[in-house]
mmCIF file of all heavy atoms in Angstrom:
data_model
loop_
_atom_site.group_PDB
_atom_site.id
_atom_site.type_symbol
_atom_site.label_atom_id
_atom_site.label_comp_id
_atom_site.label_asym_id
_atom_site.label_seq_id
_atom_site.Cartn_x
_atom_site.Cartn_y
_atom_site.Cartn_z
ATOM 1 N N PHE A 1257 -76.288 36.903 -81.366
ATOM 2 C CA PHE A 1257 -74.928 37.156 -81.547
ATOM 3 C C PHE A 1257 -74.192 35.814 -81.693
ATOM 4 O O PHE A 1257 -74.628 34.862 -81.036
ATOM 5 C CB PHE A 1257 -74.301 37.874 -80.347
ATOM 6 C CG PHE A 1257 -73.505 39.122 -80.599
ATOM 7 C CD1 PHE A 1257 -73.207 39.934 -79.434
ATOM 8 C CD2 PHE A 1257 -73.001 39.442 -81.769
ATOM 9 C CE1 PHE A 1257 -72.449 41.084 -79.643
ATOM 10 C CE2 PHE A 1257 -72.258 40.662 -81.903
ATOM 11 C CZ PHE A 1257 -71.968 41.469 -80.816
ATOM 12 N N HIS A 1259 -70.295 34.488 -81.449
ATOM 13 C CA HIS A 1259 -68.814 34.770 -81.315
ATOM 14 C C HIS A 1259 -68.095 33.428 -81.694
ATOM 15 O O HIS A 1259 -68.216 32.457 -80.975
ATOM 16 C CB HIS A 1259 -68.503 35.142 -79.833
ATOM 17 C CG HIS A 1259 -68.670 36.670 -79.628
ATOM 18 N ND1 HIS A 1259 -69.893 37.263 -79.651
ATOM 19 C CD2 HIS A 1259 -67.817 37.542 -79.318
ATOM 20 C CE1 HIS A 1259 -69.739 38.559 -79.380
ATOM 21 N NE2 HIS A 1259 -68.460 38.756 -79.178
ATOM 22 N N GLU A 1269 -60.906 34.466 -74.324
ATOM 23 C CA GLU A 1269 -61.947 35.500 -74.611
ATOM 24 C C GLU A 1269 -61.445 36.517 -75.592
ATOM 25 O O GLU A 1269 -62.098 37.089 -76.425
ATOM 26 C CB GLU A 1269 -62.459 36.137 -73.358
ATOM 27 C CG GLU A 1269 -63.539 35.282 -72.619
ATOM 28 C CD GLU A 1269 -64.843 35.214 -73.418
ATOM 29 O OE1 GLU A 1269 -65.387 36.200 -73.754
ATOM 30 O OE2 GLU A 1269 -65.315 34.059 -73.736
ATOM 31 N N TRP A 1270 -60.052 36.889 -75.413
ATOM 32 C CA TRP A 1270 -59.452 37.847 -76.216
ATOM 33 C C TRP A 1270 -58.256 37.203 -76.862
ATOM 34 O O TRP A 1270 -57.217 36.857 -76.094
ATOM 35 C CB TRP A 1270 -59.034 39.151 -75.531
ATOM 36 C CG TRP A 1270 -60.134 40.020 -75.203
ATOM 37 C CD1 TRP A 1270 -61.453 39.935 -75.509
ATOM 38 C CD2 TRP A 1270 -59.961 41.308 -74.504
ATOM 39 N NE1 TRP A 1270 -62.108 41.003 -75.058
ATOM 40 C CE2 TRP A 1270 -61.253 41.903 -74.451
ATOM 41 C CE3 TRP A 1270 -58.934 41.936 -73.975
ATOM 42 C CZ2 TRP A 1270 -61.461 43.106 -73.893
ATOM 43 C CZ3 TRP A 1270 -59.115 43.245 -73.368
ATOM 44 C CH2 TRP A 1270 -60.407 43.864 -73.374
ATOM 45 N N HIS A 1308 -62.860 39.263 -84.790
ATOM 46 C CA HIS A 1308 -62.805 39.641 -83.449
ATOM 47 C C HIS A 1308 -61.453 40.340 -83.208
ATOM 48 O O HIS A 1308 -60.730 40.607 -84.114
ATOM 49 C CB HIS A 1308 -63.040 38.454 -82.399
ATOM 50 C CG HIS A 1308 -63.514 38.934 -81.125
ATOM 51 N ND1 HIS A 1308 -62.721 38.816 -79.939
ATOM 52 C CD2 HIS A 1308 -64.650 39.519 -80.694
ATOM 53 C CE1 HIS A 1308 -63.408 39.344 -78.963
ATOM 54 N NE2 HIS A 1308 -64.536 39.771 -79.297
ATOM 55 N N HIS A 1309 -61.149 40.674 -81.938
ATOM 56 C CA HIS A 1309 -59.877 41.469 -81.656
ATOM 57 C C HIS A 1309 -58.680 40.762 -82.194
ATOM 58 O O HIS A 1309 -57.582 41.432 -82.361
ATOM 59 C CB HIS A 1309 -59.778 41.680 -80.143
ATOM 60 C CG HIS A 1309 -60.941 42.380 -79.561
ATOM 61 N ND1 HIS A 1309 -61.810 43.206 -80.214
ATOM 62 C CD2 HIS A 1309 -61.497 42.248 -78.219
ATOM 63 C CE1 HIS A 1309 -62.711 43.641 -79.315
ATOM 64 N NE2 HIS A 1309 -62.505 43.017 -78.240
ATOM 65 N N TYR A 1354 -70.366 41.707 -86.997
ATOM 66 C CA TYR A 1354 -69.524 42.474 -86.058
ATOM 67 C C TYR A 1354 -68.135 42.414 -86.682
ATOM 68 O O TYR A 1354 -67.620 41.394 -87.149
ATOM 69 C CB TYR A 1354 -69.514 41.699 -84.781
ATOM 70 C CG TYR A 1354 -68.437 41.940 -83.682
ATOM 71 C CD1 TYR A 1354 -68.720 42.491 -82.439
ATOM 72 C CD2 TYR A 1354 -67.105 41.688 -83.947
ATOM 73 C CE1 TYR A 1354 -67.745 42.723 -81.533
ATOM 74 C CE2 TYR A 1354 -66.118 41.847 -83.027
ATOM 75 C CZ TYR A 1354 -66.479 42.417 -81.779
ATOM 76 O OH TYR A 1354 -65.552 42.593 -80.832
ATOM 77 N N TRP A 1392 -72.144 45.924 -86.230
ATOM 78 C CA TRP A 1392 -71.734 46.058 -84.815
ATOM 79 C C TRP A 1392 -70.354 46.547 -84.696
ATOM 80 O O TRP A 1392 -69.440 45.798 -84.992
ATOM 81 C CB TRP A 1392 -71.943 44.768 -84.176
ATOM 82 C CG TRP A 1392 -72.496 44.755 -82.763
ATOM 83 C CD1 TRP A 1392 -73.805 44.498 -82.445
ATOM 84 C CD2 TRP A 1392 -71.759 44.911 -81.541
ATOM 85 N NE1 TRP A 1392 -73.933 44.534 -81.084
ATOM 86 C CE2 TRP A 1392 -72.705 44.812 -80.484
ATOM 87 C CE3 TRP A 1392 -70.450 45.193 -81.211
ATOM 88 C CZ2 TRP A 1392 -72.347 44.876 -79.168
ATOM 89 C CZ3 TRP A 1392 -70.079 45.226 -79.846
ATOM 90 C CH2 TRP A 1392 -71.054 45.145 -78.858
ATOM 91 N N ASP A 1394 -67.448 47.606 -82.337
ATOM 92 C CA ASP A 1394 -66.963 47.486 -80.952
ATOM 93 C C ASP A 1394 -66.054 48.673 -80.793
ATOM 94 O O ASP A 1394 -65.138 48.823 -81.384
ATOM 95 C CB ASP A 1394 -66.239 46.113 -80.865
ATOM 96 C CG ASP A 1394 -66.028 45.696 -79.391
ATOM 97 O OD1 ASP A 1394 -65.792 46.619 -78.540
ATOM 98 O OD2 ASP A 1394 -66.137 44.578 -79.095
ATOM 99 N N ALA A 1396 -63.996 48.887 -78.385
ATOM 100 C CA ALA A 1396 -62.744 48.534 -77.704
ATOM 101 C C ALA A 1396 -61.525 48.920 -78.534
ATOM 102 O O ALA A 1396 -61.411 48.713 -79.697
ATOM 103 C CB ALA A 1396 -62.728 46.970 -77.525
ATOM 104 N N GLU A 1440 -73.238 43.847 -69.432
ATOM 105 C CA GLU A 1440 -73.381 42.608 -70.176
ATOM 106 C C GLU A 1440 -74.191 41.568 -69.425
ATOM 107 O O GLU A 1440 -73.953 40.365 -69.632
ATOM 108 C CB GLU A 1440 -72.009 42.116 -70.650
ATOM 109 C CG GLU A 1440 -71.353 43.033 -71.667
ATOM 110 C CD GLU A 1440 -69.919 42.622 -72.070
ATOM 111 O OE1 GLU A 1440 -69.295 41.784 -71.319
ATOM 112 O OE2 GLU A 1440 -69.438 43.197 -73.024
ATOM 113 N N ASP A 1503 -76.878 43.374 -74.756
ATOM 114 C CA ASP A 1503 -76.150 42.188 -75.240
ATOM 115 C C ASP A 1503 -75.667 41.339 -74.074
ATOM 116 O O ASP A 1503 -75.218 41.858 -73.121
ATOM 117 C CB ASP A 1503 -74.920 42.646 -76.156
ATOM 118 C CG ASP A 1503 -73.932 43.409 -75.420
ATOM 119 O OD1 ASP A 1503 -74.306 44.228 -74.491
ATOM 120 O OD2 ASP A 1503 -72.781 43.418 -75.834
ATOM 121 N N TRP A 1510 -68.196 35.033 -73.995
ATOM 122 C CA TRP A 1510 -68.778 35.275 -75.332
ATOM 123 C C TRP A 1510 -68.369 34.045 -76.292
ATOM 124 O O TRP A 1510 -69.011 33.783 -77.231
ATOM 125 C CB TRP A 1510 -68.150 36.590 -75.888
ATOM 126 C CG TRP A 1510 -68.714 37.810 -75.115
ATOM 127 C CD1 TRP A 1510 -68.016 38.523 -74.194
ATOM 128 C CD2 TRP A 1510 -69.979 38.359 -75.288
ATOM 129 N NE1 TRP A 1510 -68.830 39.586 -73.784
ATOM 130 C CE2 TRP A 1510 -70.049 39.421 -74.407
ATOM 131 C CE3 TRP A 1510 -71.061 38.076 -76.035
ATOM 132 C CZ2 TRP A 1510 -71.180 40.275 -74.305
ATOM 133 C CZ3 TRP A 1510 -72.271 38.851 -75.988
ATOM 134 C CH2 TRP A 1510 -72.293 39.928 -75.091
ATOM 135 N N PHE A 1511 -67.198 33.456 -75.969
ATOM 136 C CA PHE A 1511 -66.676 32.398 -76.766
ATOM 137 C C PHE A 1511 -66.979 31.108 -76.068
ATOM 138 O O PHE A 1511 -67.178 31.059 -74.794
ATOM 139 C CB PHE A 1511 -65.180 32.575 -77.106
ATOM 140 C CG PHE A 1511 -65.014 33.622 -78.122
ATOM 141 C CD1 PHE A 1511 -64.754 34.956 -77.635
ATOM 142 C CD2 PHE A 1511 -64.979 33.407 -79.450
ATOM 143 C CE1 PHE A 1511 -64.506 35.978 -78.571
ATOM 144 C CE2 PHE A 1511 -64.862 34.377 -80.435
ATOM 145 C CZ PHE A 1511 -64.598 35.660 -80.012
HETATM 146 C C1 FUL B 54 -66.627 43.669 -76.140
HETATM 147 C C2 FUL B 54 -65.520 42.644 -76.578
HETATM 148 O O1 FUL B 54 -64.255 42.953 -75.961
HETATM 149 C C3 FUL B 54 -65.971 41.300 -76.195
HETATM 150 O O2 FUL B 54 -64.954 40.265 -76.417
HETATM 151 C C4 FUL B 54 -67.243 40.960 -76.893
HETATM 152 O O3 FUL B 54 -67.059 40.872 -78.226
HETATM 153 C C5 FUL B 54 -68.301 42.049 -76.579
HETATM 154 C C6 FUL B 54 -69.505 41.848 -77.323
HETATM 155 O O4 FUL B 54 -67.795 43.325 -76.813
HETATM 156 O O5 FUL B 54 -66.183 44.906 -76.294
#
Side-chain angles (χ1 to χ4, degrees):
F1257 228 164
H1259 274 65
E1269 278 292 302
W1270 283 1
H1308 201 252
H1309 307 328
Y1354 164 117
W1392 218 97
D1394 194 322
E1440 291 175 349
D1503 61 333
W1510 290 105
F1511 288 90

